[in-house]
C-alpha cells in the first residue's frame, strides 16, 4: 500500500498534458460591519491532485457544491487558485504573466454547463464562433471558411451561421459552444457539466460528438458531471469529489467494478440498471443528511457525518474517522486505484 498526492495513470505512457497538484481554492467570508473584515473562508477546493493525458478523458464527479466548477475555473486561472500548481505543457499556470495566460488559453478552453446563458443572444452564431479567432488576431484571411468548417465539425449546418442562438435547440446550442471552444485548436477542453442542462435524449448525441472529436483531434478532456452514469461511457479515468477533496480515483472500469470508498459505492448504487431483473435486485446504499458547509468542514474525514460504513464501526475506529484525515491510498486493486478511507478494506 502506498500513499500519493499525484494520482497519475500508471498504465498511460508519456507525460501528462495537464497536472494539477495540491490545488486549494478558498473564498473569504467577510463580516457585515462597515470595515469588512475577513471572518472565515469557504473551503471550496482543499488539495486536489490529478493528471490528464492527450487523447484521454478524466471524469470529475460529485454532488452539487463539492467544488467541481471552482476546480475547473482555477485550472484556467479564471479564478486564481489560493495555492497549488496547475502545470500545463510543463509550465505552471498559477504563476503565468497575463501574456502567457492568453497564449495558454489558446490551448486550453472551457465549455460551460448552460448553453442558454453562455452564448451572447445578440450576435449570430457565426460571430459567436468567430470571436476567439478575432480576439487572437486569427480571423483575417480564411476566418469565414474556418467558422463554416467548425460548424460542420460539430454537426451544425454552416448555412445557419447567420441565425441567433434562440433559433437553436439546447443540444444545438451546446454544439455551438463546443465549436467556439475548438476555434483556436486547443489541446485540452474543460467541459463543466456539458450535458447536464440537456434532455437525456439529446445527451448521448453530444457525448458521441465529444468522443468523435477526441478521436479526430487527440484532445484531452476534463469532463465534469454530477453523477457517475454520465461519465461511465466517456471517461478513461474517474475522480470522485466530496466537499473539496478527491475521495477515490481510478480507471473507469476499476472504479465501477471495484469501488472502495463508501461515497463512491453510494453514487454507483444510485445508477439505474437497464436490465429489469437486475434493476429489481439493485440495492441502494443511502447517504443520510445534507452535505456539510464548506465554510466549516468536518474534522478528519469530511465524509464522516454521512458515512454509512462509519455507522458500523467500533467507537475507537469511528473516532479515528473524526481525528485523522484519510490519505488517498493505492490499495493495489488496479492501475493507480486510489481511495481516501481508513476502513475501505474492511467493507469488501
Ligand atoms: N465566488 C464564490 N464566493 C464564495 N463561495 C463560492 C464562490 N464560488 C463558489 N463558492 C462555493 O464553493 C463551493 C463549491 O462550489 P462549486 O460551484 O465549485 O461547486 P460544484 O461542484 O461545481 O457544484 P454544482 O454541481 O452545483 O455546479 C460551494 O459551497 C459554493 O457555494
Ligand atoms: S474514513 Fe471513516 S468516515 Fe471516512 S469514508 Fe472511511 S469509514 Fe467513512
Ligand atoms: Mg458546477
Amino acid at each position: 500500500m502506498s500513499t500519493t498526492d499525484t494520482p497519475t495513470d500508471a498504465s498511460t505512457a508519456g507525460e501528462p498534458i495537464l497536472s494539477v497538484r495540491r490545488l486549494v481554492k478558498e473564498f473569504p467570508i467577510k463580516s457585515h460591519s462597515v470595515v469588512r473584515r475577513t471572518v472565515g473562508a469557504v473551503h471550496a477546493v482543499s488539495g486536489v491532485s490529478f493528471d490528464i493525458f492527450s487523447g484521454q478523458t478524466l471524469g470529475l464527479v460529485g454532488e452539487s457544491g463539492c467544488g467541481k466548477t471552482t476546480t475547473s475555473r482555477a485550472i484556467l486561472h479564471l479564478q486564481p487558485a489560493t495555492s497549488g500548481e496547475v502545470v500545463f505543457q510543463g509550465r505552471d499556470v498559477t504563476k503565468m504573466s497575463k501574456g502567457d495566460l492568453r497564449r495558454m488559453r489558446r490551448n486550453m478552453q472551457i465549455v460551460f454547463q448552460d448553453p442558454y446563458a453562455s452564448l451572447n443572444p445578440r450576435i449570430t452564431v457565426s460571430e459567436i464562433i468567430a470571436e476567439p479567432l478575432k480576439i487572437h488576431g486569427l480571423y483575417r484571411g480564411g476566418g469565414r471558411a474556418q467558422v463554416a468548417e467548425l460548424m460542420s465539425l460539430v454537426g451544425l449546418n454552416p448555412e445557419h451561421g447567420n441565425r441567433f442562438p434562440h433559433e437553436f435547440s439546447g443540444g444545438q446550442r451546446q454544439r455551438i459552444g463546443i465549436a467556439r471552444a475548438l476555434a483556436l485548436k486547443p489541446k485540452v477542453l474543460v467541459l463543466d457539466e456539458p450535458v447536464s442542462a440537456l434532455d437525456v435524449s439529446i445527451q448521448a448525441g453530444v457525448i458521441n460528438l465529444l468522443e468523435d472529436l477526441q478521436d479526430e483531434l487527440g484532445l484531452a478532456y476534463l469532463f465534469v458531471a454530477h453523477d457517475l452514469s454520465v461519465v461511465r461511457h466517456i471517461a478513461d479515468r474517474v475522480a470522485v469529489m466530496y466537499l473539496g477533496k478527491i475521495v477515490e480515483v481510478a480507471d473507469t472500469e476499476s472504479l465501477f467494478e471495484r469501488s472502495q470508498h463508501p461515497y463512491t459505492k453510494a453514487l454507483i448504487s444510485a445508477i439505474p440498471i437497464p436490465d429489469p431483473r437486475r434493476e429489481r435486485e439493485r440495492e441502494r446504499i443511502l447517504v443520510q443528511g445534507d452535505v456539510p458547509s464548506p465554510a466549516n468542514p468536518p474534522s478528519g474525514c469530511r465524509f464522516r457525518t454521512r458515512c454509512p460504513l462509519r455507522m458500523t464501526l467500533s467507537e475507537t475506529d469511528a473516532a479515528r474517522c473524526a481525528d485523522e484525515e484519510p490519505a488517498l491510498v493505492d490499495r493495489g486493486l488496479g492501475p493507480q486505484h486510489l481511495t481516501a478511507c481508513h476502513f475501505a478494506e474492511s467493507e469488501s
Side-chain angles (χ1 to χ4, degrees):
M1 190 187 292
S2 64
T3 64
T4 178
D5 68 349
T6 57
T8 54
D9 183 348
S11 64
T12 307
E15 289 291 306
I17 188 160
L18 179 72
S19 288
V20 174
R21 292 285 171 272
R22 301 170 296 280
L23 186 74
V24 172
K25 178 67 187 177
E26 292 175 356
F27 297 103
I29 301 171
K30 301 279 184 188
S31 68
H32 292 294
S33 56
V34 182
V35 184
R36 294 189 27 97
R37 285 182 302 116
T38 301
V39 292
V42 175
H43 302 271
V45 179
S46 303
V48 158
S49 300
F50 53 76
D51 289 331
I52 301 181
F53 294 83
S54 292
Q56 298 207 352
T57 300
L58 175 74
L60 186 64
V61 174
E63 273 167 296
S64 183
C66 72
K68 304 180 298 293
T69 295
T70 307
T71 303
S72 307
R73 294 178 68 85
I75 288 174
L76 283 124
H77 207 74
L78 297 170
Q79 264 171 343
T82 305
S83 64
E85 292 173 7
V86 177
V87 180
F88 177 61
Q89 294 185 305
R91 295 196 51 213
D92 188 355
V93 170
T94 67
K95 295 189 176 60
M96 280 184 185
S97 65
K98 272 196 177 152
D100 285 345
L101 280 173
R102 223 171 106 93
R103 281 182 282 280
M104 176 276 289
R105 290 210 186 102
R106 276 181 65 165
N107 286 315
M108 185 153 56
Q109 288 279 314
I110 187 162
V111 174
F112 296 101
Q113 173 175 1
D114 188 347
Y116 296 89
S118 58
L119 303 178
N120 184 342
R122 281 177 289 277
I123 61 176
T124 65
V125 165
S126 290
E127 286 167 326
I128 288 171
I129 299 171
E131 218 169 30
L133 293 167
K134 288 180 179 166
I135 290 169
H136 288 268
L138 300 168
Y139 187 76
R140 255 179 275 150
R144 192 187 287 257
Q146 272 186 62
V147 169
E149 213 175 286
L150 283 160
M151 288 188 72
S152 301
L153 187 66
V154 300
L156 293 169
N157 184 346
E159 285 169 20
H160 296 166
N162 56 355
R163 297 187 181 180
F164 289 87
H166 72 264
E167 295 176 74
F168 292 84
S169 68
Q172 287 172 325
R173 285 186 207 207
Q174 200 53 303
R175 287 170 192 263
I176 298 166
I178 294 167
R180 181 188 155 93
L182 291 176
L184 298 168
K185 300 190 169 63
K187 296 187 168 58
V188 175
L189 276 193
V190 175
L191 301 148
D192 187 0
E193 307 222 29
V195 297
S196 303
L198 308 178
D199 281 354
V200 175
S201 57
I202 308 166
Q203 288 184 359
V206 175
I207 288 179
N208 289 342
L209 167 69
L210 288 168
E211 283 191 310
D212 292 346
L213 291 170
Q214 184 169 58
D215 288 346
E216 208 170 310
L217 308 171
L219 295 162
Y221 293 154
L222 175 64
F223 191 107
V224 171
H226 254 86
D227 66 286
L228 274 164
S229 58
V230 173
V231 298
R232 184 171 200 166
H233 185 63
I234 195 168
D236 297 284
R237 204 162 156 75
V238 180
V240 179
M241 262 186 106
Y242 183 79
L243 207 58
K245 288 188 177 284
I246 291 179
V247 297
E248 186 159 15
V249 55
D251 287 358
T252 307
E253 193 204 343
S254 191
L255 191 95
F256 279 90
E257 298 303 323
R258 295 177 291 281
S259 68
Q260 287 250 309
H261 197 282
Y263 182 58
T264 314
K265 285 176 182 257
L267 292 182
I268 291 176
S269 81
I271 302 173
I273 303 169
D275 173 347
R277 189 182 54 80
R278 287 181 54 218
E279 172 62 12
R280 272 196 299 277
E281 290 163 5
R282 176 165 63 98
E283 241 180 83
R284 284 285 314 262
I285 300 170
L286 291 176
V287 172
Q288 309 285 343
D290 296 326
V291 184
S293 164
N296 187 20
S299 65
C301 175
R302 290 191 176 183
F303 187 52
R304 73 174 161 84
T305 54
R306 303 170 74 203
C307 179
L309 174 57
R310 187 175 182 234
M311 288 173 200
T312 68
L313 298 176
S314 69
E315 220 172 282
T316 318
D317 284 346
R320 189 176 170 207
C321 301
D323 296 340
E324 193 187 323
E325 185 183 333
L328 209 46
V329 171
D330 187 344
R331 291 164 198 278
L333 283 169
Q336 290 284 307
H337 186 140
L338 314 179
T339 316
C341 169
H342 298 308
F343 303 100
E345 285 149 318
S346 57
E347 199 187 20
S348 54

